[in-house]
Amino acid sequence: MSELGVSSPAERYSRSRASRQYPRLAEFRGLYDFALDGFQVEACKVVEDGHGVLVAAPTGSGKTLVGEFAVHLAIATGRKCFYTTPIKALSNQKFADLVDRYGADNVGLLTGDNTINGEAPVVVMTTEVLRNMLYAGSRTLDTLGYVVMDEVHYLADRMRGAVWEEVIIHLPESVSVISLSATVSNAEEFGDWLTEVRGDTVTIVEERRPIPLHQHVMVGRKMFPLFEPSPDDRGVEVNKALERLAREDWQLSRMMKGHKGKGGKRPRSRNRTPSRVEVVERLDAEGLLPAICFIFSRAGCAAAVQQCLDARLTLTTPDEQAHIAAFVDTACAHLPEDDLHVLGYYEFRDALVRGIAAHHAGMLPTFKECVEDLFSDGLVKIIFATETLALGINMPARSVVIEKLSKWNGETHANITPGEYTQLTGRAGRRGIDVEGHGVVLWQHGLDPKQVAGLASTRTYPLNSSFHPSYNMAVNLVGQVGRTVARELLEQSFAQFQADRAVVGLARQIRKADDALDGYREKVVCDRGDFMEYASLRRELSDIEASGSKARRQAEREEIIASLVKLRPGDVIHVPVGKFAGLAVVLDPGRVTDHEGPRPMVLTANRHARRLAMIDFPAPVQPLTTMRIPKSFNPRNPQARRDLASALRSRADAASFHRDKPYRDQPGREDPRIAAIRQKLREHPCHECPDRESHARWAERYLKLERDTKNQRGRIEQRTNTVARQFDRVCEVLDVLGYLDGDVVTPDGLRLKRLYSDLDLLVSECLRQGTWDGLDAAELAAVVSGLTYTSRLADDLPAPRYPTRNVRAAAETMAHLCADLQQLEREHRVKFLRSPDFGFSQAVWSWCKDATLDDVLGDMDLAAGDFVRAMKQLIDVVAQIADAAGPGPLRTTAREALDLLRHGVVSYTSITA
């Protein structure tokens, strides 16, 4: 019922009383022309009462309204409110929304790209910015009353999640924290932790979606509901028609296994996956547009748009087309004319005018913003997007389509989780516009309707901490409160809170295991003697035999690694096994890593340039001969690969290479302990027991459970004070390097406090040792890119190309420095640093030297959006280096590098002061 429709005296009295009790909430409710939901009202009352609150609610339920109430409360009471978000796009969107409501004078923005009105009463920022302000003791924190942590479930993020916990732990006690989260299965546990570290915090969980979601499966051109009413009308069950289609598919696949139809072709099922064009046409015919179609691949998103264009689909009216064209022309007017073709601007504009678009991380930010704005206005009707859209800004649709229920997770194709499914379909249903939302899964061969139903009805999305102390965190904390208090602070992390709770469960398991061990011991009693002693001898024999086999394998591995380490560029080798078996020439020997061993980059006689792994070398490798590799050789160039492979084959034909016989295991000498233990077993009185094997089975169970219980006790010991122990190890590394001296932060440590990069310690060491002294601005930018860039397909990439000798020398010095630091980390049992990746250095140097965007992207085979994002990350670290370097030539050079980097598409920002 609308609030305006309240008519009974009792309801009017109740509302009047609430208004007197919560006057700020009454003012706030008056700003909206719709009634607030119960969970929103409850949460706002908690905030006005001065408590912290955790609101866990589905996507699109309106939980951000609680954060906006904190903004309203801050302005009304003369205090400050910081509104933090995990991504810049979300910060920009929230900044624009709050400016519209409260005016430009009252709202500021602080992100890596923009600084606008930073002293305003309300400041929107990324969470990292607030963390940095806390460590710097910024005066901007004065009179801070509220901090809204939007998308707080990001603290589970492996790379960035620790920042959320740092902020929550270090904010002053006087600050009320309003935490907004997606629906997680352990919200109460997270709320308990917030209460422990922040004081009284109320947890409010809303499971209900504001817009009902209807689930469908599309088979060919037909759309089937996923659920249907159960026969007893007491609930719903999986649609019987879908189950029948799944059975037909399964039976056909079983029946036709190994059989072929007419013409040698295997008959296909009548139940086919609909084409992307068919999906759009069906959604349009059913009135289910606008829609987001999730395709877990950038190439797939681009292909889907092209398929719609090829089919001449047009989803917009002439008036809408004119509006879209004018909007896109204005939004993209800043792009250099020469870059429009390489950016694919004209194809992008043509698709948008038809109401069709892609959205993924490889797109230019300007293009993504156009898509987002036009979709929010209802002008773009279908977006083909990767899952990154589900994690970002507010873009609800009437329908959501999921093309496949599996995706590449960086290592393998894995099924999406119930949490991911919920997050994706959470976009379906626009509040205030749609009466219902629709989730559509496309039929694929082997699809199980019950699996889809399980995804749609499960809410298992646990929030797990990813917190770990970093080098920058350590010097900041020790500098502020000393080592002892810092340890106590870190003991308050959600990571330790979860570890301590897990200990309770482990202790319960150990108690049960102890009871079971008593029972097993009774079963092992033997009238011939001590059977546990006999069983222990058998277990010892088994362990020695297993360790001997393991030792032999390790010795073989070390021999193979030693042979790979000796390889040099130009060595011709014979790859014994694998997809690329045969003759190959070494292009780059590769680095020795902790787990994988050297991974040489080779060119095969079949023109394949690939980085091989240990699995390709079951035996040591010896160079057959050597050949010269041209200095100008570029493994990305097909002609260069053909020429070098031809030279390799010619060399093979000219010389008769002797190939070693296959490597065979050499019989190892038996461990002398084995014979001694076997003798003891034969002489033991239990050896002749007629029930020996029965006793042995129970003894084996006893020994296995005893070993497992011992491991569990060790896990309890490890989990107690886990974070503090890791902090101690980090401090030990900093002690050795001279960044800390007990509770004192040294001058070098003060510089480290200002560095927030993933490779903060390596940056600091490069500054301390003068690694970058003498470089010009373009060279500095090129070599620093090794600290921020990570190749997407590291396995198949060639050795980096360095633009100048100075860049090569600095890069090699950085690699050696990093190797030394990694060795120090291993000695102290920590692992934070990755090796620098200089695959972007040539592109950065070329960009600084005014190369065209076309040349840079073509040389790197990089998408425009990836290029801009990599440049923004580089700019952030170069700015930190300029700040931390102090007065001198390096600071001047770093600032010159910033000027060279910020031009063209890299310099654009959608927010202006």
Side-chain angles (χ1 to χ4, degrees):
M1 180 184 291
S2 167
E3 293 184 358
L4 300 177
V6 173
S7 56
S8 74
E11 288 172 324
R12 284 201 299 272
Y13 173 75
S14 176
R15 187 173 175 207
S16 173
R17 183 179 177 187
S19 298
R20 290 195 301 273
Q21 191 173 356
Y22 295 99
R24 301 303 180 191
L25 176 56
E27 294 171 8
F28 184 68
R29 290 166 88 150
L31 299 175
Y32 295 90
D33 57 3
F34 58 84
L36 273 59
D37 288 342
F39 83 93
Q40 295 170 327
V41 173
E42 183 185 356
C44 290
K45 285 180 178 179
V46 168
V47 176
E48 189 164 355
D49 283 338
H51 306 301
V53 67
L54 165 65
V55 181
T59 300
S61 61
K63 56 182 173 286
T64 54
L65 186 140
V66 182
E68 290 169 8
F69 176 64
V71 170
H72 177 84
L73 203 57
I75 292 175
T77 57
R79 285 181 286 176
K80 284 184 178 178
C81 177
F82 288 170
Y83 197 112
T84 71
T85 72
I87 56 177
K88 294 173 185 176
L90 196 52
S91 293
N92 294 344
Q93 186 183 60
K94 184 54 65 177
F95 171 72
D97 292 344
L98 294 177
V99 166
D100 286 345
R101 168 154 290 176
Y102 297 107
D105 291 342
N106 286 320
V107 184
L109 176 68
L110 295 175
T111 67
D113 297 338
N114 298 287
T115 300
I116 301 171
N117 198 15
E119 297 299 325
V122 177
V123 184
V124 183
M125 61 184 69
T126 49
T127 316
E128 281 86 353
V129 170
L130 178 53
R131 185 272 312 271
N132 299 350
M133 289 169 63
L134 286 166
Y135 282 151
S138 171
R139 293 293 301 276
T140 308
L141 297 168
D142 295 347
T143 70
L144 180 62
Y146 304 93
V147 167
V148 180
M149 304 201 77
D150 203 354
E151 311 283 353
V152 74
H153 51 272
Y154 261 72
L155 69 74
D157 184 81
R158 187 171 55 87
M159 299 300 295
R160 300 172 56 210
V163 176
W164 274 255
E165 292 190 49
E166 287 179 79
V167 168
I168 290 169
I169 292 170
H170 300 314
L171 276 171
E173 288 183 18
S174 58
V175 176
S176 294
V177 176
I178 293 85
S179 304
L180 310 177
S181 170
T183 307
V184 293
S185 55
N186 61 335
E188 290 78 8
E189 179 188 39
F190 185 48
D192 290 345
W193 173 69
L194 286 170
T195 297
E196 188 167 295
V197 296
R198 300 293 317 160
D200 189 18
T201 300
V202 178
T203 299
I204 296 173
V205 178
E206 174 62 34
E207 294 280 3
R208 183 182 59 85
R209 283 175 50 96
I211 306 295
L213 179 66
H214 294 271
Q215 313 270 359
H216 312 270
V217 176
M218 189 169 173
V219 187
R221 291 181 176 273
K222 294 182 180 180
M223 192 114 69
F224 294 84
L226 176 59
F227 297 105
E228 62 182 5
S230 59
D232 57 8
D233 288 330
R234 292 185 177 180
V236 294
E237 61 183 20
V238 177
N239 191 333
K240 291 285 191 296
L242 287 173
E243 292 188 317
R244 188 181 68 252
L245 295 178
R247 278 197 304 275
E248 288 175 2
D249 257 18
W250 180 79
Q251 288 168 353
L252 184 66
S253 65
R254 284 286 303 270
M255 195 168 52
M256 301 314 301
K257 206 170 187 180
H259 296 279
K260 293 187 177 179
K262 292 181 181 179
K265 293 183 179 179
R266 192 166 291 177
R268 292 184 178 180
S269 166
R270 291 176 299 171
N271 311 322
R272 61 178 180 81
T273 303
S275 72
R276 289 157 179 166
V277 173
E278 287 174 334
V279 170
V280 177
E281 289 176 336
R282 184 58 195 261
L283 293 176
D284 191 23
E286 296 281 346
L288 298 182
L289 296 178
I292 300 170
C293 181
F294 286 107
I295 300 174
F296 302 122
S297 122
R298 296 178 180 185
C301 292
V305 172
Q306 190 58 51
Q307 287 157 13
C308 291
L309 293 180
D310 292 344
R312 300 187 177 180
L313 278 183
T314 301
L315 306 172
T316 49
T317 65
D319 287 345
E320 288 174 332
Q321 291 172 21
H323 183 93
I324 293 170
F327 179 89
V328 175
D329 289 342
T330 302
C332 298
H334 66 280
L335 296 174
E337 187 78 26
D338 295 342
D339 293 342
L340 294 181
H341 178 70
V342 67
L343 291 172
Y345 168 76
Y346 301 105
E347 297 84 353
F348 167 76
R349 183 182 184 276
D350 182 33
L352 270 183
V353 166
R354 294 169 180 260
I356 303 163
H359 189 288
H360 56 75
M363 289 173 63
L364 193 70
T366 302
F367 287 3
K368 284 200 293 184
E369 289 162 13
C370 285
V371 173
E372 291 159 3
D373 290 343
L374 291 170
F375 189 78
S376 297
D377 291 341
L379 295 171
V380 170
K381 311 300 182 180
I382 180 75
I383 291 182
F384 297 99
T386 56
E387 71 270 26
T388 53
L389 181 63
L391 306 174
I393 65 171
N394 182 29
M395 283 180 63
R398 180 167 295 165
S399 306
V400 164
V401 179
I402 301 177
E403 191 169 81
K404 288 184 179 179
L405 295 178
S406 65
K407 65 174 185 175
W408 179 255
N409 63 10
E411 296 177 0
T412 184
H413 281 94
N415 291 332
I416 63 173
T417 65
E420 289 169 331
Y421 183 88
T422 301
Q423 199 157 31
L424 295 170
T425 55
R427 293 282 178 195
R430 297 166 296 174
R431 189 165 190 175
I433 301 175
D434 301 320
V435 294
E436 59 189 28
H438 297 267
V440 181
V441 174
L442 302 191
W443 182 270
Q444 304 286 341
H445 177 67
L447 183 135
D448 180 1
K450 289 184 178 178
Q451 179 201 3
V452 183
L455 289 172
S457 57
T458 309
R459 293 291 180 267
T460 52
Y461 176 53
L463 186 63
N464 293 315
S465 173
S466 59
F467 183 81
H468 57 266
S470 66
Y471 296 115
N472 172 274
M473 187 193 303
V475 291
N476 273 292
L477 283 178
V478 172
Q480 285 182 353
V481 296
R483 205 171 289 200
T484 303
V485 177
R487 284 180 100 256
E488 294 170 358
L489 279 172
L490 295 180
E491 286 290 294
Q492 297 178 26
S493 68
F494 188 44
Q496 190 60 58
F497 184 82
Q498 288 189 308
D500 290 343
R501 285 203 165 186
V503 163
V504 175
L506 284 173
R508 192 181 303 118
Q509 290 177 30
I510 288 174
R511 284 196 298 273
K512 287 183 180 179
D514 286 340
D515 292 340
L517 286 171
D518 291 339
Y520 291 169
R521 197 178 290 109
E522 291 175 7
K523 297 283 187 181
V524 178
V525 173
C526 177
D527 57 4
R528 301 288 182 97
D530 185 351
F531 199 90
M532 285 308 304
E533 181 182 65
Y534 181 78
S536 296
L537 286 171
R538 286 175 58 143
R539 170 60 69 90
E540 186 181 357
L541 176 64
S542 176
D543 288 346
I544 291 174
E545 289 174 337
S547 65
S549 174
K550 184 178 179 182
R552 282 196 303 276
R553 290 196 303 271
Q554 181 61 29
E556 290 168 5
R557 174 183 166 84
E558 289 173 0
E559 192 177 351
I560 294 168
I561 289 175
S563 72
L564 292 174
V565 167
K566 293 177 182 177
L567 293 179
R568 294 293 178 265
D571 282 349
V572 176
I573 62 173
H574 179 259
V575 181
V577 297
K579 185 177 178 181
F580 304 105
L583 284 175
V585 59
V586 177
L587 304 176
D588 169 39
R591 301 189 293 264
V592 180
T593 60
D594 289 347
H595 304 294
E596 297 178 342
R599 302 196 60 195
M601 180 83 177
V602 303
L603 178 75
T604 69
N606 294 325
R607 306 193 301 274
H608 294 295
R610 288 291 185 272
R611 197 169 284 285
L612 302 179
M614 287 283 292
I615 197 171
D616 296 305
F617 297 99
V621 62
Q622 294 293 331
L624 304 172
T625 185
T626 61
M627 61 183 291
R628 192 180 70 83
I629 298 175
K631 285 186 178 179
S632 60
F633 177 74
N634 179 0
R636 294 182 183 276
N637 186 309
Q639 185 60 50
R641 290 200 303 271
R642 271 196 296 270
D643 292 344
L644 188 59
S646 176
L648 173 63
R649 289 192 298 271
S650 298
R651 193 158 183 80
D653 293 339
S656 178
F657 292 139
H658 170 71
R659 295 180 182 173
D660 294 333
K661 293 179 181 179
Y663 184 80
R664 300 181 189 277
D665 283 344
Q666 298 299 318
R669 192 167 55 86
E670 186 175 80
D671 190 314
R673 292 176 295 173
I674 292 177
I677 293 173
R678 284 178 176 156
Q679 181 64 29
K680 286 183 180 179
L681 285 170
R682 285 191 293 269
E683 294 172 355
H684 198 283
C686 293
H687 190 65
E688 300 299 329
C689 175
D691 297 322
R692 182 183 70 186
E693 293 309 310
S694 174
H695 292 327
R697 283 192 293 273
W698 284 107
E700 187 59 33
R701 291 174 191 169
Y702 178 94
L703 292 171
K704 183 180 184 303
L705 184 58
E706 184 183 48
R707 179 177 291 185
D708 291 344
T709 305
K710 182 180 178 181
N711 290 338
Q712 285 182 324
R713 286 193 167 94
R715 286 168 64 192
I716 286 180
E717 193 175 320
Q718 287 173 356
R719 290 192 177 197
T720 307
N721 304 320
T722 311
V723 178
R725 280 205 309 275
Q726 193 174 23
F727 173 71
D728 290 340
R729 293 173 192 147
V730 168
C731 289
E732 287 168 10
V733 172
L734 296 173
D735 283 332
V736 171
L737 293 171
Y739 289 97
L740 291 177
D741 183 6
D743 279 358
V744 176
V745 179
T746 66
D748 288 329
L750 293 174
R751 181 170 53 220
L752 180 56
K753 288 175 69 173
R754 306 165 83 118
L755 299 169
Y756 296 98
S757 159
D758 290 342
L759 298 178
D760 47 9
L761 191 60
L762 180 57
V763 177
S764 186
E765 282 295 288
C766 289
L767 286 170
R768 179 158 72 170
Q769 300 195 23
T771 303
W772 302 320
D773 293 350
L775 298 176
D776 65 29
E779 290 172 334
L780 177 64
V783 80
V784 171
S785 73
L787 303 169
T788 59
Y789 181 72
T790 304
S791 302
R792 290 190 72 213
L793 300 170
D795 286 356
D796 296 337
L797 287 178
R801 290 187 296 139
Y802 299 107
T804 69
R805 290 181 180 177
N806 287 341
V807 171
R808 177 186 291 275
E812 289 174 350
T813 301
M814 289 168 64
H816 290 310
L817 258 177
C818 188
D820 292 343
L821 292 173
Q822 288 170 330
Q823 177 58 37
L824 184 62
E825 284 189 325
R826 284 191 290 273
E827 292 170 6
H828 292 275
R829 292 181 296 160
V830 295
K831 185 177 181 182
F832 294 114
L833 299 177
R834 59 169 177 81
S835 299
D837 183 340
F838 297 102
F840 196 41
S841 59
Q842 177 70 51
V844 170
W845 185 85
S846 299
W847 182 253
C848 290
K849 293 295 184 180
D850 286 329
T852 67
L853 183 64
D854 194 0
D855 288 342
V856 172
L857 295 183
D859 193 47
M860 274 292 293
D861 190 23
L862 200 63
D866 292 330
F867 171 74
V868 172
R869 186 170 60 256
M871 281 293 192
K872 298 274 189 181
Q873 292 169 344
L874 173 59
I875 286 169
D876 187 38
V877 173
V878 173
Q880 290 180 35
I881 290 169
D883 178 48
L890 183 58
R891 171 175 284 181
T892 303
T893 304
R895 288 176 175 171
E896 290 173 3
L898 290 173
D899 292 336
L900 293 177
L901 292 168
R902 289 175 175 144
H903 72 272
V905 293
V906 176
S907 62
Y908 169 72
T909 174
S910 60
I911 300 292
T912 55

